[in-house]
Amino acid sequence: MTNTACATYESALLEYDEIPPTSEPVCILGNEYSAIYDLDDIRKVFYSKMWMTYRKGFPSIGGIGPTTDTGWGCMLRCGQMLLAQTLVHRHLGRGWQHNPKLLDPTYLKILQLFQDKKSSTYSIHQIAQMGVTEGKPVGSWFGPNTVAQVLRKLAPYDQWTDLQIHIAMDNSIIISDIRELCSMVSSLSPERDSGFRESVSGASSTSVRYRGPQAASLLTNIGGASSAKNAVQSEECESERRDDRVNVTAAAASSSWKPLLLVVPLRLGLTEINPCYVRSVKECLRLKQTVGIVGGKPNHAYYFIGKSANAKSSDSENRSNGAAAGLVIRL
């Protein structure tokens, strides 16, 4: 059972568990750090993440609805954190870190999108009310897929970011769907169009199927303002990994390519994660393009952003059984 670095919504005080000092690197959203020498850098990285949590006393949702999301808003808040991280990558860059002495105007603009009021694009108000279109009354707990669908519907109203959100259903990534969503086909020259086809020629059709484990909810960003790359990895065999790699760099280089948040809803197990999926999950968190994983069960949601080695196991054991422990932020 993996215990990766995450933000979890529970009825408890904020708790910070230190990274165990092991020789295995700590990986946070695709970046690796030493668990012995880079603890200050790791703290800065976590300090720079936007933390959305339960609140009370905000304007009522819909005018007559709840004024607090305590008890039902955990997955909605996790979805907010994941999307906020995506916007930070988009507007500030992956290496950006928060400086309380010098507040970046762009950072403040991102924060305003998540304020707890109706006029904010990604507020708890907008997410809860858009959830009605997914069959979720205001005040209901969302699952990972529901929050992804809701954020997809809200994204077009954020013209500043111009983010496209694609949800890959049935464990498949349909290249033609992504291409249509993120590019203006009419503006692509024949050379660019050919280059894009060549970049995905490793797949036998327009569908790239995840052959690996079914997971709770995996979310990775494969598109950006200037480049995009996604590696679809499976543990079955090395040849399948090569066949499943999707490189969309050629399309991303085009000025018409829009940034993409690719959401892959999967299931890791019934009541808890199946240990056979742990290694694949850890590999996903090593991708440079990842913005993390959201998952959980009713009234219990998590946002995973990284992984570290288990201090109770030897390094050789960690390599053989994929054990992981981590820094956990509890609410």
Side-chain angles (χ1 to χ4, degrees):
M1 178 65 181
T2 184
N3 180 20
T4 51
C6 66
T8 171
Y9 281 90
E10 298 173 320
S11 298
L13 296 175
L14 179 64
E15 177 184 329
Y16 180 88
D17 297 330
E18 195 64 87
I19 295 286
T22 67
S23 59
E24 291 292 312
V26 175
C27 184
I28 303 175
L29 296 182
N31 296 314
E32 292 191 347
Y33 305 86
S34 168
I36 300 175
Y37 304 106
D38 297 333
L39 288 180
D40 287 341
D41 291 335
I42 293 173
R43 293 188 185 99
K44 290 178 181 178
V45 169
F46 267 86
Y47 184 73
S48 299
K49 303 304 176 212
M50 295 187 186
W51 183 43
M52 281 75 171
T53 182
Y54 294 127
R55 289 194 63 213
K56 63 180 180 179
F58 51 68
S60 62
I61 298 176
I64 57 174
T67 59
T68 178
D69 62 318
T70 303
W72 58 271
C74 52
M75 186 59 73
L76 285 72
R77 296 299 188 178
C78 284
Q80 282 183 321
M81 286 193 289
L82 182 138
L83 184 58
Q85 186 60 41
T86 303
L87 300 190
V88 168
H89 285 185
R90 165 70 168 146
H91 295 293
L92 296 171
R94 295 181 179 274
W96 178 84
Q97 290 189 355
H98 177 59
N99 182 353
K101 297 180 179 179
L102 182 63
L103 294 180
D104 192 305
T106 301
Y107 171 74
L108 296 178
K109 189 172 182 178
I110 294 174
L111 281 178
Q112 290 172 356
L113 293 172
F114 297 90
Q115 286 184 296
D116 289 338
K117 58 183 182 179
K118 183 180 180 180
S119 59
S120 295
T121 305
Y122 303 118
S123 65
I124 192 75
H125 297 68
Q126 295 289 356
I127 295 176
Q129 290 186 295
M130 188 63 77
V132 175
T133 66
E134 294 293 321
K136 294 289 187 179
V138 174
S140 300
W141 186 86
F142 284 14
N145 183 62
T146 301
V147 75
Q149 295 288 354
V150 167
L151 293 176
R152 177 183 62 82
K153 293 180 178 180
L154 291 175
Y157 297 98
D158 178 13
Q159 297 182 358
W160 174 52
T161 303
D162 198 21
L163 177 70
Q164 305 301 308
I165 299 180
H166 179 73
I167 302 174
M169 304 303 295
D170 301 323
N171 304 342
S172 298
I173 300 174
I174 310 301
I175 298 300
S176 59
D177 289 350
I178 294 177
R179 181 179 172 186
E180 180 180 359
L181 181 67
C182 296
S183 64
M184 301 168 130
V185 178
S186 59
S187 67
L188 288 175
S189 65
E191 293 78 13
R192 286 176 177 174
D193 188 52
S194 175
F196 182 77
R197 284 199 299 270
E198 290 176 1
S199 70
V200 297
S201 61
S204 58
S205 68
T206 57
S207 173
V208 179
R209 181 165 293 278
Y210 277 72
R211 299 181 178 86
Q214 300 229 331
S217 180
L218 166 66
L219 297 93
T220 58
N221 186 335
I222 69 167
S226 60
S227 65
K229 185 177 182 182
N230 185 48
V232 180
Q233 298 186 343
S234 171
E235 293 181 8
E236 294 183 2
C237 63
E238 206 47 50
S239 62
E240 286 188 343
R241 291 179 184 174
R242 289 193 295 268
D243 291 341
D244 283 352
R245 283 176 189 156
V246 180
N247 188 334
V248 294
T249 305
S254 169
S255 60
S256 63
W257 184 264
K258 298 181 179 180
L260 170 69
L261 175 65
L262 175 62
V263 181
V264 185
L266 301 169
R267 180 177 285 277
L268 286 171
L270 296 177
T271 58
E272 59 183 21
I273 184 174
N274 190 316
C276 72
Y277 301 153
V278 170
R279 184 170 297 177
S280 291
V281 172
K282 291 167 65 178
E283 287 300 311
C284 290
L285 292 170
R286 293 182 60 191
L287 293 174
K288 290 291 184 181
Q289 298 80 10
T290 188
V291 289
I293 302 172
V294 296
K297 54 188 177 181
N299 302 315
H300 194 98
Y302 295 87
Y303 174 38
F304 297 88
I305 64 172
K307 56 98 177 177
S308 65
N310 192 337
K312 297 180 181 180
S313 303
S314 66
D315 290 342
S316 61
E317 287 175 336
N318 286 331
R319 287 191 292 269
S320 63
N321 62 24
L327 180 148
V328 181
I329 302 176
R330 295 188 183 279
L331 201 143

